Amino acid sequence: MKVVILAGGKGIRHAEETSVRPKSMVEIGGWPVLWHILNLYSVHGLNDFIICCDQKNSTIKDFFANYALRRADVTFDFANGSIGYHVNAIEPWRVTLVDTGEETMTGGRLKRAAKYLDGDTFCCAYGDSLCDVDIGRLIRFHTASSTLATLVAVQPPGRLVGCRSDDARAGDPREGTCSDDVWVNGGFFVLQPEVLSYIDDDATVWEQAPMQRLGEEGQLTAFRHAGFWHPVETLRDILNLQEIWNSGKAPWRVEALRAAQGAAASEHDAMS
């Protein structure tokens, strides 16, 4: 299954960092947010990524072009001008970078990625939040729901607002009034290829008309994730996430994700 990452956008609310780099390339623990998101999927066996970029895509391209250089042992042979990579633990990723345009909205970016999806079910994520959602369980939930779209619903920090969702079928995905029983769009999805027909053009905002229509037609399901989720929208967010990372107990670390995955498998075996 392929994963589409929406890494474009101007990041207006993130001016502290995005004046020089995309939000998805802001570093937490010395690695871009995008890298952390790819690791989340990779732990669950998803390694084929389509990254939708904008005018700042050179930053993302440079990162992946030099990824092996950063991660592997390297031999520089100046006598013959060669570079040898000694790859030991490079992730098995396949990354396609798609220039989706500077002014293209989220729906338009998603539709521009369609030609790389092969008409199959796919995952999608924004490039500006970190979480420890169980991707395998999310996909199984989506399959069982038989709907065209499943979004991960989260309970975020109090300054954010969201929509009330009293059952698994997601209602209005737009923002509303925040309270203890409010769940918001966490920016992680599993989608059927048919959802692309709900997107008109580059000006379509995925979170507005397409998701609204899917909800009205009963084709949008909410997967409630009560675990860790944190946006990367402000300097305060970056500092908070960096502090969590420095503690060594970040729930989105690969080691933590694998431990949680193992615990879930053991629980499943015990119940079988």
Side-chain angles (χ1 to χ4, degrees):
M1 185 178 292
K2 295 186 178 182
V3 182
V4 177
I5 309 292
L6 302 180
K10 296 180 179 179
I12 296 173
R13 288 192 294 171
H14 203 149
E16 300 92 342
E17 283 282 352
T18 52
S19 57
V20 295
R21 69 180 80 179
K23 281 195 295 185
S24 60
M25 295 305 289
V26 171
E27 292 188 357
I28 305 295
W31 293 96
V33 170
L34 182 59
W35 178 86
H36 293 286
I37 295 173
L38 266 58
N39 271 310
L40 169 65
Y41 285 98
S42 190
V43 164
H44 294 277
L46 277 64
N47 293 296
D48 197 342
F49 301 98
I50 301 164
I51 301 177
C52 300
C53 313
D54 62 8
Q55 79 281 3
K56 304 184 186 75
N57 68 67
S58 60
T59 306
I60 299 176
K61 285 183 178 179
D62 289 346
F63 173 76
F64 286 107
N66 295 299
Y67 190 66
L69 183 64
R70 183 172 180 177
R71 292 282 281 167
D73 294 338
V74 184
T75 297
F76 295 93
D77 190 330
F78 295 103
N80 60 27
S82 67
I83 301 176
Y85 295 95
H86 308 283
V87 179
N88 298 317
I90 299 296
E91 293 81 1
W93 297 341
R94 183 175 187 269
V95 179
T96 300
L97 303 180
V98 184
D99 185 352
T100 52
E102 181 176 351
E103 300 299 329
T104 307
M105 297 293 101
T106 48
R109 295 184 192 281
L110 191 55
K111 191 149 190 171
R112 286 204 189 192
K115 60 184 176 182
Y116 299 102
L117 291 171
D118 303 325
D120 297 325
T121 304
F122 63 98
C123 289
C124 178
Y126 302 154
D128 59 359
S129 62
L130 296 175
C131 75
D132 63 350
V133 65
D134 186 330
I135 298 297
R137 184 164 168 251
L138 168 64
I139 293 172
R140 292 191 294 273
F141 177 90
H142 170 76
T143 301
S145 74
S146 298
T147 57
L148 295 181
T150 297
L151 67 83
V152 172
V154 299
Q155 291 185 300
R159 74 178 188 281
L160 298 180
V161 296
C163 63
R164 183 184 303 274
S165 180
D166 296 325
D167 54 31
R169 295 281 169 160
D172 188 342
R174 297 171 296 181
E175 293 185 342
T177 304
C178 188
S179 65
D180 290 341
D181 62 347
V182 165
W183 295 76
V184 303
N185 173 7
F188 292 83
F189 307 86
V190 184
L191 304 172
Q192 296 302 119
E194 289 85 352
V195 303
L196 299 171
S197 67
Y198 288 67
I199 301 169
D200 293 329
D201 50 34
D202 284 355
T204 302
V205 178
W206 164 245
E207 302 77 17
Q208 295 178 2
M211 286 180 61
Q212 180 76 13
R213 182 181 160 197
L214 286 164
E216 291 170 351
E217 295 177 359
Q219 291 295 332
L220 179 62
T221 307
F223 175 88
R224 293 188 178 187
H225 173 61
F228 179 86
W229 181 90
H230 203 298
V232 185
E233 291 287 346
T234 67
L235 180 58
R236 183 177 69 175
D237 291 329
I238 297 169
L239 294 175
N240 285 344
L241 289 166
Q242 186 62 58
E243 184 176 357
I244 296 171
W245 180 268
N246 290 343
S247 73
K249 300 178 180 179
W252 72 91
R253 278 182 178 268
V254 168
E255 299 84 358
L257 293 170
R258 286 176 177 160
Q261 191 178 35
S266 298
E267 181 179 355
H268 180 269
D269 291 342
M271 294 176 63
S272 300

